[in-house]
Amino acid sequence: MAKTKQQLSPIEIAAKKYARYRDPLIMVLHEIQTTRGYIPREAAFEIAKLLNVPLARIYEVITFYNYFRLKSPGKAVISVCTGTACHLKGADKLVKEFSEELDIEPGQTTDDGLFHLQSVRCVGCCGLAPVVVINEKTYGKLQPSQVPHVIAEWKEKFETETADAAS
Amino acid sequence: MINLKINNIDVRVPEGATILEAANKAGLWIPTLCKHPDLGPTAACGICVVKIKGAKNMVRACASPAEEGMEVTTHDPELVRVRRTTLEMILSNHPNECLTCARNGTCELQDLAEEFSVRERLLPPIVPDISTDDSTRTIVLDPRKCIKCGRCVTVCQQKQDVWALSFLERGLETRIAPAGDIGLGDSPCIRCGQCSAHCPVGAIYEYDETARIWEALQYPKKYCVVQIAPAVRVSLGEAFGREPGENLTGQIYSALRRMGFDAVFDTNFGADVTIMEEAAEFVERIKQGNGSLPLITTCCPSWVDFMEKYHSDMMEHFSSCKSPHAIIGTLSKTYYADKMGLDPKDVFTVSIMPCTSKKYEITRSSSMFASGLQDVDVSITTREFSRMVRQDGLIIEQLNADEKPDSILGEYSGAGTIFGASGGVMEAALRTAQYQITGDENAELEFKEIRGLQGVKVMETKVGDKNIRVAVAHGLGNVETVLNEVRAALRQGQESPYHFVEVMACPGGCVGGGGQAWKVDNKIREKRIEGLYRDDRKQRIRRSYQNTSIRRLYEDFLNEPLSAKAKELLHTSYTARPQYQR
Ligand code: SF4
Ligand code: SF4
Ligand code: SF4
Ligand code: FES
Ligand code: FES
């Protein structure tokens, strides 16, 4: 029986999506990087298998481009889209707001390792501009005034997770 | 054909030839560093620059095609200056460690520094801080010394199809490493050592274990036994200025006795044993019929490792017979120790091999401990051995060329000696299998179609009333096509296109092994191969089953090929392994 869409892993979906490309590897890696904030080793293994590319080649690509990271940059990776549509809708204000609230520059991680801020190119849902993606959650039409709220939401999530783990 | 002028000399070369090739044809020498004769150009170093009349910029001779009417200058004061500057740039990132380097005296970068009279270093070199990796216990990586020529990566990825090594990062940060900075021992590396055989500098070299041998030799209670592989005898001389292919068997036996070994054996005898067992397996499978064929040879541990990691579906076709050197190890601690009244615990076994992978093989599975102890205690490469010869003050010219090996694991047939060349195992096996099938003592002896350096060699030959089809592949990048042909046929329930398949990981077979004398190309491999076939022709006995020491081994100890005892001591098994440990 063919797997339904829900059963496919995010990497399988990405691999399908870019299957027709001449070099789907970069596209798939790009997608993992944007959603996860880095390329976990298990993801690299999965890509190797799905695309039939040697792992060594994947790491050559990952380490060649500054864009890709091998270590988790923070527990929550905040990707502010600065593509054209989002730019026109004031993406830079969002970057500035996150920057000030968290006291880090884009490309940096907070001292507690919880938040990593980065700006990314078009994430493909311009209709929702300005867009911010945090881990796998997408925030559309986000206003700078909502930023403190979003940060609080993630902090709370981490706190309950830690409490759950402790009990 | 293309006509051009190089330094005013007329040269004619085939279309597609590079300026470098044309210059070589004209007898001109252009310095190179990143280019290796086995491999396409990476054009990474810039040492080979030349001038073309009418062109604005200098070009890299190794990567530029010769063109009709071209006028090339390979040497003038300006070119010398540019090359010297390029060299100084390379040296500015290279550690000043020649004295403690594994390539001291054989390094291509050192040669150039000498050639261009580099006498001082104005600034201390900037060297990346990367630690050495000896996790394979067979080869050592020292990426600090890497000049980023790309040879090892090309060999590992394209020629061997293993993809253990890669270039990570870029620009100044570029370094050789397995995917994700794990140890090479946790990567798919099959330890063939071809990366080291191709590296121009001291960035990849064999894991040296000579100290353990010196130690054993000075320990009075140890009874030290040694064996030399076929390919070693035709390469050792290169480190002493002799021609590749010159056979130094006698001199090597004599050197080993002077070093203090108590018994000097020959892996060629082990090869004769391997043939007895493998030919019997082959005959048995032919009787069983189609599904069990082909039989695939397994004397190369890198090939075995590659199969276990990448082609484990073919496992049932693998000969279970151990490699010749593993067999000599087992027999030294059982058959020989018995005869001599030695306690196997006191027997210390050393093997001298063309191969880095044999260092891995000696502990690869429990069957490598068939004697109840580790069958081979230490395995060293031809290069390590050449240093031991010098450390012991021995001079090749003064050693006895007619020295004989010790009984009862020393006498060999011509079939045993050709094991060191691609196609040799197959040829040796056919010489005995024919007899086992037909009883004909005078059947075909030489199978020239499966000799030589072509990547895949196939042949059909008549044995009795059966047509036997064989395939021989060397260089692991050549294996997949052969295996796929076999797979396709078997999947459709058809007869395999080949009945018998031989694979060796290294180009040319063990003569081109990763532990042989440095600086190898096909011309040198050919000479080594010819040296082995010359040794074969010289032997009175050229079929394994006719070797009297082999007959004695079976009469006195093993009974017959594939007997229970032979299976217990001389056979092994395989297991699928993950490509990555982490
Ligand atoms: S030893 Fe062979 S498999 Fe291992 S890294 Fe070198 S070339 Fe690759
Ligand atoms: S390790 Fe040796 S062969 Fe590999 S890129 Fe560096 S210098 Fe070249
Ligand atoms: S071909 Fe010979 S030298 Fe090369 S890895 Fe195999 S056994 Fe060793
Ligand atoms: S520009 Fe931001 S989603 Fe397209
Ligand atoms: S030898 Fe031609 S660029 Fe290195």
Side-chain angles (χ1 to χ4, degrees):
Chain A
M1 216 178 74
K3 281 188 186 175
T4 61
K5 196 150 185 180
Q6 268 99 37
Q7 289 168 306
L8 292 179
S9 76
I11 298 175
E12 282 174 301
I13 296 170
K16 272 207 152 121
K17 187 158 124 198
Y18 300 114
R20 287 177 305 103
Y21 284 60
R22 204 167 53 87
D23 184 10
L25 177 60
I26 295 246
M27 304 305 290
V28 174
L29 286 174
H30 184 271
E31 189 137 330
I32 308 301
Q33 173 68 43
T34 0
T35 49
R36 304 280 304 267
Y38 72 116
I39 316 282
R41 193 157 175 85
E42 315 77 66
F45 273 116
E46 199 182 336
I47 297 170
K49 220 165 127 202
L50 283 174
L51 299 183
N52 195 20
V53 178
L55 195 72
R57 178 78 198 123
I58 295 179
Y59 274 79
E60 284 180 344
V61 172
I62 297 176
T63 58
F64 188 85
Y65 296 103
N66 268 332
Y67 182 81
F68 299 119
R69 321 226 155 253
L70 283 168
K71 282 211 190 81
S72 166
K75 281 177 90 176
V77 178
I78 305 168
S79 305
V80 183
C81 178
T82 50
T84 317
C86 295
H87 178 74
L88 291 174
K89 298 259 180 174
D92 50 343
K93 288 204 195 82
L94 284 172
V95 175
K96 194 160 162 259
E97 190 63 27
F98 274 110
S99 216
E100 275 166 10
E101 281 295 314
L102 295 168
D103 198 18
I104 47 173
E105 293 296 314
Q108 294 181 338
T109 304
T110 52
D111 290 340
D112 57 10
L114 289 184
F115 293 98
H116 177 80
L117 180 62
Q118 61 183 18
S119 54
V120 296
R121 266 165 286 156
C122 179
V123 296
C125 40
C126 311
L128 296 176
V131 176
V132 170
V133 181
I134 303 185
N135 292 359
E136 268 145 42
K137 188 166 175 187
T138 306
Y139 297 82
K141 300 202 183 328
L142 193 70
Q143 295 310 309
S145 57
Q146 295 169 282
V147 165
H149 190 75
V150 171
I151 292 175
E153 171 192 327
W154 281 87
K155 275 201 175 138
E156 198 173 317
K157 186 167 170 260
F158 292 140
E159 267 157 31
T160 38
E161 273 173 17
T162 329
D164 284 354
S167 66
Chain B
M1 293 299 265
I2 285 174
N3 300 291
L4 68 161
K5 265 192 188 343
I6 306 184
N7 300 353
N8 269 325
I9 303 172
D10 289 311
V11 202
R12 248 167 95 78
V13 288
E15 196 110 3
T18 61
I19 296 179
L20 180 65
E21 284 158 351
N24 289 344
K25 199 172 169 207
L28 295 163
W29 172 254
I30 300 174
T32 54
L33 183 56
C34 62
K35 175 77 178 75
H36 189 282
D38 286 355
L39 311 168
T42 55
C45 77
I47 285 288
C48 66
V49 284
V50 294
K51 290 179 180 167
I52 299 172
K53 194 171 172 191
K56 221 169 89 207
N57 297 320
M58 297 178 178
V59 303
R60 300 181 178 204
C62 69
S64 311
E67 282 165 22
E68 185 64 38
M70 223 178 211
E71 290 181 36
V72 180
T73 306
T74 64
H75 293 81
D76 68 16
E78 191 187 5
L79 281 165
V80 171
R81 205 185 66 228
V82 170
R83 286 181 187 142
R84 197 169 189 282
T85 308
T86 306
L87 186 58
E88 282 177 335
M89 300 312 277
I90 296 170
L91 290 174
S92 73
N93 289 311
H94 198 83
N96 253 330
E97 289 170 12
C98 290
L99 275 182
T100 48
C101 183
R103 294 300 295 275
N104 190 2
T106 65
C107 171
E108 296 176 35
L109 183 60
Q110 205 182 38
D111 291 350
L112 284 173
E114 196 278 332
E115 185 177 321
F116 283 87
S117 328
V118 177
R119 290 290 175 270
E120 57 181 352
R121 314 232 2 210
L122 295 176
L123 293 168
I126 297 173
V127 180
D129 181 21
I130 309 174
S131 47
T132 52
D133 176 1
D134 64 3
S135 57
T136 64
R137 292 286 186 272
T138 56
I139 54 167
V140 183
L141 302 187
D142 185 354
R144 295 175 322 128
K145 293 201 181 127
C146 173
I147 56 157
K148 293 144 196 174
C149 68
R151 293 182 188 179
C152 59
V153 176
T154 312
V155 165
C156 187
Q157 299 185 350
Q158 309 302 330
K159 295 277 171 184
Q160 298 299 61
D161 202 15
V162 175
W163 293 82
L165 271 185
S166 43
F167 264 144
L168 300 185
E169 311 286 344
R170 64 169 153 182
L172 268 183
E173 305 289 303
T174 310
R175 64 182 191 281
I176 48 152
D181 286 311
I182 52 175
L184 196 60
D186 288 328
S187 84
C189 172
I190 52 157
R191 304 153 178 102
C192 64
Q194 284 305 313
C195 49
S196 84
H198 286 83
C199 180
V201 297
I204 313 182
Y205 51 93
E206 69 283 354
Y207 182 73
D208 188 308
E209 291 175 285
T210 52
R212 288 180 61 201
I213 300 175
W214 287 127
E215 191 187 306
L217 282 171
Q218 64 158 22
Y219 191 63
K221 232 181 129 215
K222 287 268 180 233
Y223 189 91
C224 295
V225 168
V226 66
Q227 56 170 316
I228 64 158
V232 174
R233 68 203 69 211
V234 289
S235 172
L236 180 77
E238 292 161 47
F240 300 91
R242 300 296 195 93
E243 268 296 294
E246 182 175 349
N247 187 343
L248 296 180
T249 308
Q251 290 90 333
I252 295 173
Y253 294 155
S254 150
L256 292 166
R257 290 219 170 88
R258 294 214 196 170
M259 279 175 192
F261 282 99
D262 299 286
V264 176
F265 294 145
D266 202 312
T267 313
N268 289 3
F269 174 82
D272 280 334
V273 182
T274 297
I275 286 307
M276 295 302 288
E277 297 293 321
E278 209 159 271
E281 267 182 288
F282 182 56
V283 173
E284 201 168 71
R285 284 188 188 230
I286 287 198
K287 286 197 190 121
Q288 277 166 15
N290 292 339
S292 58
L293 293 167
L295 179 68
I296 304 179
T297 65
T298 49
C299 347
C300 168
S302 286
W303 158 231
V304 167
D305 200 33
F306 186 68
M307 183 277 303
E308 291 181 327
K309 286 170 176 163
Y310 289 86
H311 299 289
S312 55
D313 61 315
M314 298 303 269
M315 234 144 61
E316 56 178 305
H317 294 284
F318 258 50
S319 160
S320 61
C321 186
K322 286 195 205 169
S323 73
H325 105 125
I327 285 178
I328 296 271
T330 312
L331 293 179
S332 301
K333 293 193 182 184
T334 53
Y335 174 56
Y336 180 74
D338 274 3
K339 285 251 176 191
M340 300 292 290
L342 296 165
D343 182 345
K345 284 200 194 64
D346 296 332
V347 178
F348 186 82
T349 45
V350 174
S351 69
I352 300 169
M353 299 282 124
C355 181
T356 45
S357 194
K358 294 281 168 187
K359 291 174 182 288
Y360 152 76
E361 184 187 29
I362 60 178
T363 56
R364 73 165 273 278
S365 77
S366 59
S367 45
M368 298 300 143
F369 299 78
S371 64
L373 301 155
Q374 186 172 322
D375 296 339
V376 176
D377 289 297
V378 183
S379 182
I380 59 166
T381 56
T382 310
R383 299 195 290 262
E384 288 162 272
F385 179 57
S386 71
R387 295 195 293 270
M388 287 186 76
V389 170
R390 284 184 287 144
Q391 285 163 26
D392 211 36
L394 300 172
I395 292 163
I396 299 283
E397 286 68 25
Q398 286 170 11
L399 296 168
N400 178 12
D402 298 320
E403 192 107 351
K404 296 282 170 270
D406 282 302
S407 213
I408 42 184
L409 305 174
E411 296 83 5
Y412 64 86
S413 77
T417 208
I418 60 175
F419 251 65
S422 164
V425 174
M426 180 65 74
E427 183 166 343
L430 289 175
R431 289 181 189 177
T432 287
Q434 293 177 102
Y435 169 73
Q436 289 178 343
I437 293 171
T438 65
D440 180 359
E441 297 259 7
N442 295 309
E444 190 82 41
L445 194 57
E446 298 195 335
F447 297 90
K448 296 208 167 119
E449 287 145 277
I450 49 174
R451 296 181 180 181
L453 287 175
Q454 204 186 318
V456 179
K457 296 164 279 186
V458 298
M459 177 185 76
E460 186 166 328
T461 181
K462 228 177 167 65
V463 177
D465 54 4
K466 199 166 166 46
N467 279 327
I468 302 286
R469 293 185 302 273
V470 305
V472 173
H474 57 115
L476 291 175
N478 292 317
V479 176
E480 187 145 326
T481 38
V482 175
L483 293 186
N484 283 346
E485 285 176 57
V486 171
R487 280 190 185 110
L490 293 183
R491 212 177 300 123
Q492 290 169 22
Q494 290 165 353
E495 192 184 85
S496 161
Y498 311 110
H499 302 116
F500 205 167
V501 176
E502 178 207 285
V503 180
M504 296 189 197
C506 296
C510 304
V511 288
Q516 293 277 64
W518 295 113
K519 298 186 182 169
V520 68
D521 58 19
N522 274 346
K523 278 194 215 108
I524 292 176
R525 292 186 188 101
E526 262 158 17
K527 288 187 184 166
R528 293 176 186 164
I529 290 172
E530 189 36 43
L532 289 181
Y533 287 111
R534 232 182 290 130
D535 191 31
D536 170 33
R537 289 194 295 273
K538 211 177 73 188
Q539 304 301 322
R540 204 171 42 82
I541 302 293
R542 297 176 67 188
R543 302 174 208 260
S544 304
Y545 71 92
Q546 292 173 340
N547 179 343
T548 43
S549 292
I550 289 287
R551 296 206 159 148
R552 191 158 152 214
L553 168 69
Y554 282 96
E555 272 158 27
D556 291 3
F557 188 63
L558 293 172
N559 195 17
E560 59 179 10
L562 306 182
S563 68
K565 190 158 205 171
K567 285 220 160 136
E568 178 202 328
L569 294 177
L570 308 184
H571 288 254
T572 181
S573 56
Y574 307 99
T575 163
R577 294 179 203 263
Q579 287 165 22
Y580 284 89
Q581 307 283 343
R582 317 175 24 192

